Amino acid sequence: MPKVTFLPANETFEFESGKLPYKEHGKPESLLDVAMNFGFHLEHACGGSCACTTCHVVVKAGQANLSEMEDDELDRVEQAADFQLHSRLGCQAVVKGDVTVNIPEWNRNYVSEGH
């Protein structure tokens, strides 16, 4: 059962592959889909359609446990503020095993996260 940890909140969510209800945002079992299923807020202004960079995350561990980056995602994520070697879009990165990602400080919406 894959586990996803979101930093800096240090919240971890575990799910059974193929059993997560699809929330219609991003790709099924993407980082965004996992976050939405567990009530964890990850910005996604475009509804998870790979049209913005608000769900930008930086993979800290488990890069190999995510789907390969497709050209559309690469084109978009390269435009993200603070783009890094291990940057991904949460709506496009499908979880296949344990992964830890950091949500960049500029991308944390404390109003909608209730802080």
mmCIF file of all heavy atoms in Angstrom, residues 37-62:
data_model
loop_
_atom_site.group_PDB
_atom_site.id
_atom_site.type_symbol
_atom_site.label_atom_id
_atom_site.label_comp_id
_atom_site.label_asym_id
_atom_site.label_seq_id
_atom_site.Cartn_x
_atom_site.Cartn_y
_atom_site.Cartn_z
ATOM 1 N N ASN A 37 -8.627 13.032 -1.626
ATOM 2 C CA ASN A 37 -9.300 11.912 -0.982
ATOM 3 C C ASN A 37 -9.171 11.944 0.536
ATOM 4 O O ASN A 37 -10.050 11.462 1.243
ATOM 5 C CB ASN A 37 -8.766 10.573 -1.520
ATOM 6 C CG ASN A 37 -9.612 10.040 -2.634
ATOM 7 O OD1 ASN A 37 -10.672 9.490 -2.403
ATOM 8 N ND2 ASN A 37 -9.153 10.236 -3.865
ATOM 9 N N PHE A 38 -8.076 12.495 1.023
ATOM 10 C CA PHE A 38 -7.846 12.519 2.469
ATOM 11 C C PHE A 38 -8.084 13.894 3.087
ATOM 12 O O PHE A 38 -7.738 14.124 4.251
ATOM 13 C CB PHE A 38 -6.429 12.019 2.784
ATOM 14 C CG PHE A 38 -6.289 10.547 2.559
ATOM 15 C CD1 PHE A 38 -5.787 10.052 1.360
ATOM 16 C CD2 PHE A 38 -6.701 9.636 3.526
ATOM 17 C CE1 PHE A 38 -5.673 8.694 1.136
ATOM 18 C CE2 PHE A 38 -6.594 8.272 3.315
ATOM 19 C CZ PHE A 38 -6.078 7.791 2.119
ATOM 20 N N GLY A 39 -8.669 14.803 2.325
ATOM 21 C CA GLY A 39 -9.003 16.109 2.854
ATOM 22 C C GLY A 39 -7.808 17.009 3.109
ATOM 23 O O GLY A 39 -7.888 17.952 3.887
ATOM 24 N N PHE A 40 -6.695 16.728 2.426
ATOM 25 C CA PHE A 40 -5.496 17.553 2.560
ATOM 26 C C PHE A 40 -5.487 18.571 1.430
ATOM 27 O O PHE A 40 -5.677 18.220 0.274
ATOM 28 C CB PHE A 40 -4.234 16.680 2.500
ATOM 29 C CG PHE A 40 -2.966 17.453 2.686
ATOM 30 C CD1 PHE A 40 -2.518 17.752 3.964
ATOM 31 C CD2 PHE A 40 -2.230 17.890 1.594
ATOM 32 C CE1 PHE A 40 -1.344 18.479 4.148
ATOM 33 C CE2 PHE A 40 -1.064 18.614 1.768
ATOM 34 C CZ PHE A 40 -0.619 18.908 3.047
ATOM 35 N N HIS A 41 -5.271 19.837 1.768
ATOM 36 C CA HIS A 41 -5.350 20.884 0.752
ATOM 37 C C HIS A 41 -4.052 21.010 -0.042
ATOM 38 O O HIS A 41 -2.996 21.270 0.520
ATOM 39 C CB HIS A 41 -5.676 22.236 1.382
ATOM 40 C CG HIS A 41 -5.826 23.302 0.352
ATOM 41 N ND1 HIS A 41 -6.954 23.419 -0.431
ATOM 42 C CD2 HIS A 41 -4.979 24.262 -0.080
ATOM 43 C CE1 HIS A 41 -6.799 24.419 -1.266
ATOM 44 N NE2 HIS A 41 -5.604 24.949 -1.078
ATOM 45 N N LEU A 42 -4.154 20.803 -1.355
ATOM 46 C CA LEU A 42 -3.071 21.069 -2.298
ATOM 47 C C LEU A 42 -3.683 21.966 -3.369
ATOM 48 O O LEU A 42 -4.650 21.575 -4.035
ATOM 49 C CB LEU A 42 -2.546 19.766 -2.913
ATOM 50 C CG LEU A 42 -1.431 19.898 -3.956
ATOM 51 C CD1 LEU A 42 -0.199 20.583 -3.359
ATOM 52 C CD2 LEU A 42 -1.047 18.513 -4.494
ATOM 53 N N GLU A 43 -3.158 23.193 -3.488
ATOM 54 C CA GLU A 43 -3.689 24.137 -4.470
ATOM 55 C C GLU A 43 -3.799 23.479 -5.841
ATOM 56 O O GLU A 43 -2.948 22.676 -6.215
ATOM 57 C CB GLU A 43 -2.771 25.363 -4.585
ATOM 58 C CG GLU A 43 -2.984 26.393 -3.516
ATOM 59 C CD GLU A 43 -4.352 27.051 -3.548
ATOM 60 O OE1 GLU A 43 -4.895 27.360 -4.625
ATOM 61 O OE2 GLU A 43 -4.888 27.244 -2.452
ATOM 62 N N HIS A 44 -4.838 23.858 -6.587
ATOM 63 C CA HIS A 44 -5.024 23.345 -7.945
ATOM 64 C C HIS A 44 -6.022 24.236 -8.683
ATOM 65 O O HIS A 44 -7.157 23.890 -8.912
ATOM 66 C CB HIS A 44 -5.448 21.874 -7.960
ATOM 67 C CG HIS A 44 -6.688 21.581 -7.171
ATOM 68 N ND1 HIS A 44 -6.715 21.541 -5.801
ATOM 69 C CD2 HIS A 44 -7.940 21.313 -7.577
ATOM 70 C CE1 HIS A 44 -7.934 21.265 -5.391
ATOM 71 N NE2 HIS A 44 -8.712 21.126 -6.452
ATOM 72 N N ALA A 45 -5.552 25.414 -9.056
ATOM 73 C CA ALA A 45 -6.414 26.434 -9.645
ATOM 74 C C ALA A 45 -7.083 25.997 -10.944
ATOM 75 O O ALA A 45 -8.197 26.419 -11.233
ATOM 76 C CB ALA A 45 -5.621 27.721 -9.870
ATOM 77 N N CYS A 46 -6.426 25.162 -11.716
ATOM 78 C CA CYS A 46 -6.986 24.777 -13.021
ATOM 79 C C CYS A 46 -7.827 23.499 -12.944
ATOM 80 O O CYS A 46 -8.239 22.981 -13.968
ATOM 81 C CB CYS A 46 -5.873 24.620 -14.056
ATOM 82 S SG CYS A 46 -4.846 23.159 -13.840
ATOM 83 N N GLY A 47 -8.060 22.998 -11.741
ATOM 84 C CA GLY A 47 -8.860 21.785 -11.603
ATOM 85 C C GLY A 47 -8.088 20.517 -11.922
ATOM 86 O O GLY A 47 -8.664 19.474 -12.148
ATOM 87 N N GLY A 48 -6.758 20.620 -11.938
ATOM 88 C CA GLY A 48 -5.937 19.437 -12.178
ATOM 89 C C GLY A 48 -5.796 19.076 -13.642
ATOM 90 O O GLY A 48 -5.555 17.916 -13.978
ATOM 91 N N SER A 49 -5.912 20.067 -14.534
ATOM 92 C CA SER A 49 -5.861 19.775 -15.968
ATOM 93 C C SER A 49 -4.509 20.085 -16.614
ATOM 94 O O SER A 49 -4.421 20.150 -17.832
ATOM 95 C CB SER A 49 -6.965 20.552 -16.691
ATOM 96 O OG SER A 49 -6.741 21.945 -16.565
ATOM 97 N N CYS A 50 -3.469 20.275 -15.799
ATOM 98 C CA CYS A 50 -2.117 20.554 -16.299
ATOM 99 C C CYS A 50 -2.069 21.866 -17.068
ATOM 100 O O CYS A 50 -1.381 21.987 -18.064
ATOM 101 C CB CYS A 50 -1.589 19.397 -17.141
ATOM 102 S SG CYS A 50 0.200 19.428 -17.415
ATOM 103 N N ALA A 51 -2.842 22.863 -16.590
ATOM 104 C CA ALA A 51 -2.883 24.152 -17.258
ATOM 105 C C ALA A 51 -2.275 25.267 -16.412
ATOM 106 O O ALA A 51 -2.258 26.409 -16.835
ATOM 107 C CB ALA A 51 -4.325 24.502 -17.615
ATOM 108 N N CYS A 52 -1.788 24.940 -15.204
ATOM 109 C CA CYS A 52 -1.157 25.940 -14.343
ATOM 110 C C CYS A 52 -0.062 25.246 -13.527
ATOM 111 O O CYS A 52 0.234 24.083 -13.761
ATOM 112 C CB CYS A 52 -2.178 26.628 -13.435
ATOM 113 S SG CYS A 52 -2.810 25.608 -12.083
ATOM 114 N N THR A 53 0.499 25.941 -12.565
ATOM 115 C CA THR A 53 1.555 25.336 -11.735
ATOM 116 C C THR A 53 1.228 25.407 -10.252
ATOM 117 O O THR A 53 2.101 25.221 -9.419
ATOM 118 C CB THR A 53 2.908 26.025 -11.983
ATOM 119 O OG1 THR A 53 2.809 27.398 -11.607
ATOM 120 C CG2 THR A 53 3.346 25.892 -13.429
ATOM 121 N N THR A 54 -0.032 25.640 -9.901
ATOM 122 C CA THR A 54 -0.363 25.826 -8.485
ATOM 123 C C THR A 54 -0.231 24.558 -7.643
ATOM 124 O O THR A 54 -0.121 24.648 -6.430
ATOM 125 C CB THR A 54 -1.779 26.414 -8.306
ATOM 126 O OG1 THR A 54 -2.726 25.556 -8.936
ATOM 127 C CG2 THR A 54 -1.858 27.817 -8.884
ATOM 128 N N CYS A 55 -0.211 23.389 -8.261
ATOM 129 C CA CYS A 55 -0.039 22.143 -7.508
ATOM 130 C C CYS A 55 1.414 21.661 -7.529
ATOM 131 O O CYS A 55 1.705 20.502 -7.231
ATOM 132 C CB CYS A 55 -0.976 21.055 -8.019
ATOM 133 S SG CYS A 55 -0.650 20.518 -9.717
ATOM 134 N N HIS A 56 2.332 22.584 -7.851
ATOM 135 C CA HIS A 56 3.768 22.273 -7.907
ATOM 136 C C HIS A 56 4.258 21.747 -6.563
ATOM 137 O O HIS A 56 3.981 22.330 -5.520
ATOM 138 C CB HIS A 56 4.521 23.554 -8.289
ATOM 139 C CG HIS A 56 6.003 23.444 -8.191
ATOM 140 N ND1 HIS A 56 6.750 24.316 -7.431
ATOM 141 C CD2 HIS A 56 6.884 22.585 -8.740
ATOM 142 C CE1 HIS A 56 8.035 24.004 -7.536
ATOM 143 N NE2 HIS A 56 8.129 22.949 -8.328
ATOM 144 N N VAL A 57 4.975 20.629 -6.600
ATOM 145 C CA VAL A 57 5.617 20.053 -5.416
ATOM 146 C C VAL A 57 7.049 19.681 -5.790
ATOM 147 O O VAL A 57 7.379 19.568 -6.968
ATOM 148 C CB VAL A 57 4.868 18.802 -4.892
ATOM 149 C CG1 VAL A 57 3.448 19.138 -4.450
ATOM 150 C CG2 VAL A 57 4.850 17.693 -5.930
ATOM 151 N N VAL A 58 7.871 19.477 -4.769
ATOM 152 C CA VAL A 58 9.243 19.022 -4.984
ATOM 153 C C VAL A 58 9.375 17.661 -4.314
ATOM 154 O O VAL A 58 9.110 17.525 -3.114
ATOM 155 C CB VAL A 58 10.267 20.020 -4.403
ATOM 156 C CG1 VAL A 58 11.684 19.500 -4.607
ATOM 157 C CG2 VAL A 58 10.105 21.391 -5.049
ATOM 158 N N VAL A 59 9.759 16.663 -5.091
ATOM 159 C CA VAL A 59 9.882 15.299 -4.572
ATOM 160 C C VAL A 59 11.153 15.196 -3.738
ATOM 161 O O VAL A 59 12.252 15.473 -4.219
ATOM 162 C CB VAL A 59 9.899 14.268 -5.724
ATOM 163 C CG1 VAL A 59 10.019 12.857 -5.183
ATOM 164 C CG2 VAL A 59 8.665 14.422 -6.594
ATOM 165 N N LYS A 60 10.983 14.796 -2.482
ATOM 166 C CA LYS A 60 12.113 14.647 -1.558
ATOM 167 C C LYS A 60 12.565 13.195 -1.460
ATOM 168 O O LYS A 60 13.736 12.933 -1.186
ATOM 169 C CB LYS A 60 11.743 15.171 -0.162
ATOM 170 C CG LYS A 60 11.479 16.665 -0.146
ATOM 171 C CD LYS A 60 12.729 17.414 -0.522
ATOM 172 C CE LYS A 60 12.570 18.909 -0.434
ATOM 173 N NZ LYS A 60 13.759 19.623 -0.867
ATOM 174 N N ALA A 61 11.654 12.255 -1.662
ATOM 175 C CA ALA A 61 11.987 10.822 -1.625
ATOM 176 C C ALA A 61 10.949 10.067 -2.444
ATOM 177 O O ALA A 61 9.780 10.438 -2.473
ATOM 178 C CB ALA A 61 11.989 10.312 -0.182
ATOM 179 N N GLY A 62 11.394 9.025 -3.129
ATOM 180 C CA GLY A 62 10.487 8.160 -3.875
ATOM 181 C C GLY A 62 10.209 8.589 -5.299
ATOM 182 O O GLY A 62 9.187 8.203 -5.876
#
